[in-house]
Amino acid sequence: MPPSPSIRPLGSAPPLRDRGDACPGALRLHAAADGLLARVRVPAGDLTVRQAAALADAAEQLGDGFLSLTSRGNVELRGLPDGCDGRLAGLLGDAGLLPSARHERIRNILASPLAGLDRHTPADVRWWARRLDALLCASESATALSGRFLFVLDDGRGDVAALGGDVSLVAERDGAGERTAADGGTALLRVGDDPAALRIAGPDAPRAALAAAEAFLTAAEASGTGAWRVRELPQEHALTARDVAGALRAAGIAATHVPDVARPFTATTGPTTTHPNPDPAAGPTTTDPNPNAAPAAGPAPAAADSSAPGVVEGADGRHALAVLAPLGRLSAAQWRLLTATAAQHGSGELRLTPWRGVVLPGLPAAAAADRLAALSAAGLITDPSSPWHRLGACTGRPGCAKSRTDVRADLAHAVAAGAPVPGGSPAPAPGAPVYWSGCERRCGHPHGTWVGVLATADGYQVSVVRPDASPATQETRPQ
């Protein structure tokens, strides 16, 4: 399968793309060593039980009986036979998973999976996701986006803001955490790695995200490089918040330029600084959508860690269950158990997470512990202390011909031996994920700082991968 999109290494030249991206979709299947592969986009990871059942049917009737969760909260079906395209499209289309055949590969929308669920939840940005998806599917120009272009919608807790979005929306928290993004409030819009942002009204966020994506397409065409992602644009055609402000102005969307929000978010704490003053140099054509709002209301109550498994307590007395799939792989039986739990005990929905997990909202408090225990007995990760928590691996052999070895089997042996990192090298920071890869492409690797375990001809090599360091400065040790 194609390598995962990643932040371009420091100092490297932008790539010259002379063809479209080869990312698989539900209608464009990829030929892997174990059969055809389909990647089904699930915007914001949101599934109804009917849609989840359709995916299980597809895995059992057409695939190898398993469902793989991706780092963008999508679903992959493997082991598909030649000639299955029509049946697969029918199963998915009947369940509402293919609203537009022309747009199916560009519906890459990642959203905070616990938005609106936990006791101290920030704004519920799921409305943004639904509206943005509808706008994308209705846009002719959006069909030119690459299958790797990513929209990220963060509810203010900072859980997905650092996951490499091309266009990122972050809800600004006021400490109350009771309104939805559709009701009001403001958001920060960022493009790529530009340290600046645009403050916009919450209800305008979906339209603003689409306008930013269209601004990228204009910049990509002008660059002549065929760039697939914002970070691939050459310096002379780099897309900035100021550029996007012009596109928003043309669309009738008010925006205020915020000069520097480069480091206000972390994976667990959300915003950590007060909002900088608006930049007067942005000119009179940008206006503050909420000029009387206080820029910050002090530290908001801590929100739940959306990457961790367990029970999530909601403000309404209902609970959510968060589980992780070992190495992101679920059997159809495990998937159907999750679906049945959502249907019989929850709100009838499932939320897929970028940590290859599933959240089941809306369970009565009295049922949560027993249902979590049943999911644990079925082989799902339900406890943060599990040795499988924060461990990941690419497909490896036999599914991928480019892999040097069966990395998943090797990792399973390492976990059984109590050494998920060869040589016992410690993680660079508490909670840093460990990822095993069968070749240098490192498909599906995490974002941020992580420990990479790479299969080489001489065994496994361990390195600490940091997003802001060039390869030469990364700490590498052969095993």
Side-chain angles (χ1 to χ4, degrees):
M1 61 188 290
S4 298
S6 62
I7 295 176
R8 178 156 46 94
L10 187 68
S12 65
L16 182 63
R17 306 292 193 186
D18 57 0
R19 59 174 177 80
D21 75 278
C23 272
L27 302 178
R28 180 199 285 183
L29 306 186
H30 170 72
D34 57 350
L36 297 178
L37 176 152
R39 184 176 297 160
V40 183
R41 266 64 175 190
V42 184
D46 286 346
L47 288 170
T48 65
V49 292
R50 179 168 172 258
Q51 291 171 333
L55 287 167
D57 290 342
E60 289 181 325
Q61 296 173 21
L62 302 175
D64 62 2
F66 287 83
L67 301 96
S68 297
L69 307 184
T70 77
S71 60
R72 292 184 169 193
N74 295 320
V75 175
E76 287 184 349
L77 304 172
R78 302 187 68 96
L80 300 168
D82 292 335
C84 73
D85 313 45
R87 286 190 64 196
L88 178 61
L91 281 170
L92 300 179
D94 289 346
L97 289 166
L98 289 176
S100 172
R102 298 185 62 216
H103 297 82
E104 64 100 0
R105 291 192 320 116
I106 68 164
R107 301 168 67 223
N108 296 301
I109 303 174
L110 196 58
S112 296
L114 295 186
L117 295 184
D118 56 319
R119 188 179 295 276
H120 300 297
T121 186
D124 185 352
V125 299
R126 318 295 288 192
W127 176 86
W128 288 353
R130 293 189 292 273
R131 180 60 182 150
L132 175 57
D133 186 36
L135 291 172
L136 281 173
C137 289
S139 169
E140 179 64 28
S141 61
T143 60
L145 290 172
S146 144
R148 301 186 180 189
F149 194 90
L150 178 63
F151 297 91
V152 167
L153 315 180
D154 193 293
D155 67 2
R157 77 184 70 217
D159 56 349
V160 296
L163 297 185
D166 292 284
V167 175
S168 299
L169 293 169
V170 182
E172 293 194 284
R173 296 171 61 174
D174 62 359
E178 295 178 354
R179 65 180 181 226
T180 68
D183 292 335
T186 57
L188 293 177
L189 183 150
R190 291 186 60 190
V191 287
D193 295 324
D194 184 13
L198 298 172
R199 179 173 293 126
I200 58 176
D204 288 334
R207 284 199 304 132
L210 177 60
E214 291 171 338
F216 160 75
L217 290 173
T218 300
E221 182 177 8
S223 75
T225 63
W228 296 340
R229 306 199 63 189
V230 170
R231 294 170 183 85
E232 295 181 354
L233 291 169
Q235 186 61 39
E236 60 272 21
H237 292 280
L239 186 66
T240 69
R242 288 190 182 280
D243 300 321
V244 174
L248 299 191
R249 186 165 57 249
I253 300 172
T256 300
H257 189 268
V258 182
D260 189 358
V261 289
R263 301 291 178 191
F265 307 108
T266 69
T268 57
T269 63
T272 58
T273 63
T274 58
H275 308 312
N277 292 326
D279 183 359
T285 55
T286 59
T287 57
D288 194 330
N290 191 3
N292 297 317
D305 179 1
S306 55
S307 69
V311 175
V312 180
E313 296 183 4
D316 59 355
R318 311 291 285 185
H319 287 12
L321 303 183
V323 302
L324 301 174
L327 301 184
R329 193 93 158 130
L330 293 169
S331 69
Q334 291 172 319
W335 183 268
R336 289 195 186 279
L337 176 60
L338 288 164
T339 304
T341 302
Q344 297 168 16
H345 304 280
S347 62
E349 64 175 311
L350 300 85
R351 296 184 181 184
L352 310 183
T353 81
W355 300 280
R356 295 179 170 87
V358 182
V359 174
L360 306 179
L363 279 79
D370 287 346
R371 292 303 96 208
L372 191 69
L375 296 175
S376 177
L380 298 172
I381 301 170
T382 60
D383 189 334
S385 66
S386 166
W388 289 98
H389 186 210
R390 303 194 189 281
L391 286 183
C394 70
T395 297
R397 287 188 177 273
C400 178
K402 295 184 181 296
S403 179
R404 296 187 176 95
T405 185
D406 186 344
V407 291
R408 291 174 176 246
D410 291 346
L411 174 53
H413 289 310
V415 170
V421 179
S425 175
V434 176
Y435 199 80
W436 288 50
S437 304
C439 75
E440 285 75 9
R441 301 191 311 165
R442 296 179 170 90
C443 295
H445 68 74
H447 287 273
T449 299
W450 49 284
V451 177
V453 182
L454 174 66
T456 72
D458 300 319
Y460 281 102
Q461 183 183 77
V462 177
S463 63
V464 176
V465 183
R466 298 181 175 90
D468 297 328
S470 66
T473 64
Q474 289 176 6
E475 176 185 318
T476 303
R477 179 165 56 88
Q479 297 298 314

